Amino acid sequence: MIEFKSAGYSYGGKALFGGVDLDLASGSFHFLTGPSGVGKSTLLKLCYGELRPTEGNVTLFGKDLHHMDRDELAAARRRIGVVHQDCQFLDHLPLDENIGLPLAVAERGVLKDESNLKELIAWVGLSQRANALPPELSGGERQRAALARAVIMSPDVILADEPTGNVDWEMSQRLLRLLVELNRMGKTILVATHDLQLIRAAKTQVQARVLRISDRQLQLAGADL
Amino acid sequence: MSVAADFIAVFIRDAQSDRVVPPTGYTATLTLFTAGAMAFLAVFALALSLASGRLADRWGEDLAKSVTVRISAPLDQVAAQTAAAVRVLETTAGIASVRVLTSAEQQALLSPWFGPDVPIDDLPIPKLIEVIETDDGFDATGLRLRLQTEAPGAVLDDHTRWRKPLTVAAGRLRSLGWTSILIIGAATAAMITLAANAALAANLQVIRVLRLIGATDGYIARAFIRRFTLRALGGALIGATIGMLAIWLLPEAGDDRIFLTGLGFRQSQWFLPLIIPVLAAVVAFFATRAAATRALGRLS
């Protein structure tokens, strides 16, 4: 699905990380952890092509990111669902249209008419809030809406950047259950988080690899979690 | 996809695509107002162009068909020279009719300057002969030579000297009208480009979200193009309608020779201003397309 080969990223002459070899195989569940500022979000951005590696290669679905044009990148992003910590939405559109937006963008249906849209909104528990505008939603509601939008295209890969950063424990458990459920449906999951409790809780439900960025290297963690 | 197909797609495809662009903002007002004002001015420029065109044609036609022969001779020779000149004119090929203006007609011509009671018969005023040409026209040089022989006081005035500058002026006025329409189109394009650039800059967050969920640059550009093209079309429709109404309300003298009262549209010409909103939409389409392509290229 997504493969890093000796990939690294430098910003302003300073290397965030380098020599990363990583294979996000189909159906796998990975956590990416490490202190703030080590490059977790940057590594995620490399996974969906918002950034390109400054060294080495990243391939998305078999294509080298360096050689993808903007249309190819857009096509690859339709196969990747992204949940951001700050959950970016179009604030002037109601929640159901925001969640259905990837379908419209992919020209696979009109915003509100998709039959599975209501089902999906119910799955993340937002049926009562379908017509609310994004600024009217709580942090937890926005995270669940972002997850619903990320999965509506039935993507192969789901990337989540601190998905539980703005929610309470109960809500983070709910989001985790949704991610685990998606993984059981065969989706590849990568979650960047510094929430070790969440990782411990996840490991009781799913077989997940835990990666850590430390000393500008990507390492396999686990024994200490 | 061809440019024409892209343009048509703005109206019939992606009916909801422009919903991703927030509908509010000063760029909406700016585009509507600009398109409306420019369409209003374009209607007047078009009316000016058409009116001056009609005027040039009419002046050209009227003056080209008639010439005047003026008899300036001592009072006792005027009648004889007039009769001689008429004979020459009646036997000249290319002349359809010859008519000596009566004293009353000459008095009417002079009355704006000297009043109605001018004693025209007592004044040494040249006698005027109106000559109407056939479509083939006559040989002016040959006629002058014959008149010089038969009626030395006769002067042939074929109006060329003062007709030419008039028709040239009217022709230039027509060109000025069309140039104005071009300038209005260019100004509209510039204003819409500015508005589109401002909208693209103000909606970076929208573009970021759309790219995140896999929108191609074509999709994003189409959303902005559709929004601005439809706004320009709407604004121009309003402006053109008001412009047509204003033209329709102008006083009508029913005489195309008079420029100020002849400013307007005749019969089927009333359909021409309806092209202006379509042109405004085309201009907006290309201006927004160029702005969006540039902006999205910079953002990658």
Side-chain angles (χ1 to χ4, degrees), chain A residues 26-224:
Chain A
S26 179
S28 63
F29 198 126
H30 288 80
F31 279 104
L32 177 63
T33 188
S36 295
V38 293
K40 297 192 296 291
S41 296
T42 301
L43 194 138
L44 247 68
K45 284 177 180 173
L46 290 173
C47 287
Y48 64 90
E50 183 166 335
L51 296 175
R52 293 176 196 238
T54 53
E55 63 179 80
N57 302 91
V58 174
T59 55
L60 308 185
F61 309 107
K63 282 190 176 171
D64 190 334
L65 200 51
H66 286 302
H67 301 127
M68 290 171 83
D69 62 28
R70 292 211 292 271
D71 282 350
E72 286 175 325
L73 195 57
R77 281 181 184 165
R78 285 183 214 141
R79 298 178 64 184
I80 302 171
V82 183
V83 182
H84 265 292
Q85 185 178 11
D86 55 356
C87 303
Q88 296 159 340
F89 293 104
L90 303 187
D91 288 346
H92 64 286
L93 292 182
L95 186 67
D96 56 352
E97 287 194 35
N98 263 289
I99 291 173
L101 204 52
L103 293 169
V105 161
E107 298 175 60
R108 272 172 47 178
V110 179
L111 293 182
K112 281 194 169 184
D113 293 347
E114 280 296 313
S115 57
N116 64 348
L117 182 59
K118 282 185 180 171
E119 204 177 310
L120 185 61
I121 292 171
W123 180 65
V124 292
L126 290 172
S127 296
Q128 303 299 316
R129 306 289 280 152
N131 294 317
L133 292 173
E136 297 165 1
L137 301 174
S138 69
E141 287 171 334
R142 288 171 69 88
Q143 293 287 4
R144 281 182 281 151
L147 185 60
R149 187 183 66 187
V151 302
I152 195 165
M153 290 283 287
S154 191
D156 299 312
V157 180
I158 293 157
L159 307 171
D161 189 5
E162 301 285 3
T164 58
N166 295 322
V167 297
D168 58 26
W169 174 247
E170 193 186 336
M171 184 57 67
S172 69
Q173 289 303 297
R174 199 167 165 182
L175 283 166
L176 178 64
R177 278 196 298 276
L178 292 174
L179 288 169
V180 168
E181 201 176 323
L182 287 165
N183 181 243
R184 285 180 183 147
M185 290 161 69
K187 309 298 179 192
T188 304
I189 313 279
L190 173 61
V191 180
T193 182
H194 61 266
D195 185 349
L196 298 183
Q197 271 191 305
L198 181 78
I199 296 172
R200 286 191 195 106
K203 289 186 74 147
T204 63
Q205 301 172 46
V206 69
Q207 194 174 3
R209 289 178 77 197
V210 182
L211 308 165
R212 174 188 284 151
I213 299 177
S214 179
D215 297 328
R216 294 193 282 277
Q217 301 293 314
L218 186 69
Q219 301 163 350
L220 189 61
D224 54 340

Side-chain angles (χ1 to χ4, degrees), chain A residues 16-27:
Chain A
L16 267 179
F17 51 78
V20 172
D21 289 302
L22 172 66
D23 182 12
L24 296 180
S26 179

